[in-house]
Amino acid sequence: VQLVESGGASVQAGGSLRLSCQASGRTPFDIYNAGWFRQAPGKEREFVALIRRDGIVTDYSDSVKGRFTVSRDNAKKMVFLEMNSLKPEDTAVYLCAVRLVPGVGFDFWGQGTQVTVSS
């Protein structure tokens, strides 16, 4: 499966963005759990949010909990990340990823979309 993120932009602190991740390929999208990660310059990639294949169960890192919301549309093969109350420390390249088996590494990754938050 191929993943393409979009929606990244430069915003001021306190602003909002909605990131999208479009999957393509023949495999039904609802077999995958999906996640969002981010990587800031000079830092390791970190987990942001996870959504189970059915879209019901979600999980978030403590740093974004209460500000970010992950969702998905399996019919459209898309995953979304709604980001509110953005902070300068949210600046990073945001990547989406999917995996078949819970609890193991992600199988497929997108290239990422840049989010820059200025103070």
Side-chain angles (χ1 to χ4, degrees):
V1 62
Q2 291 79 43
L3 302 171
V4 179
E5 302 92 337
S6 62
S10 295
V11 297
Q12 290 192 329
S16 299
L17 283 175
R18 188 191 196 209
L19 304 184
S20 300
C21 176
Q22 177 72 63
S24 61
R26 293 187 174 186
T27 308
F29 191 58
D30 60 1
I31 69 172
Y32 296 106
N33 293 320
W36 284 96
F37 295 77
R38 65 188 182 187
Q39 187 162 18
K43 295 187 177 181
E44 292 189 354
R45 182 182 297 170
E46 66 170 335
F47 165 76
V48 174
L50 176 73
I51 185 165
R52 202 173 66 181
R53 60 194 67 185
D54 58 9
I56 296 175
V57 175
T58 59
D59 190 23
Y60 300 90
S61 68
D62 288 342
S63 61
V64 307
K65 198 171 294 183
R67 300 188 297 122
F68 290 11
T69 303
V70 61
S71 61
R72 65 191 293 164
D73 184 333
N74 286 334
K76 295 182 178 179
K77 296 188 176 182
M78 296 188 74
V79 185
F80 306 98
L81 186 67
E82 187 78 32
M83 306 187 295
N84 298 312
S85 301
L86 283 162
K87 305 174 181 180
E89 51 263 43
D90 294 320
T91 295
V93 174
Y94 284 72
L95 308 101
C96 71
V98 297
R99 66 184 180 192
L100 283 171
V101 180
V104 298
F106 282 76
D107 302 297
F108 302 99
W109 292 81
Q111 292 297 311
T113 185
Q114 176 71 47
V115 172
T116 303
V117 184
S118 58
S119 57

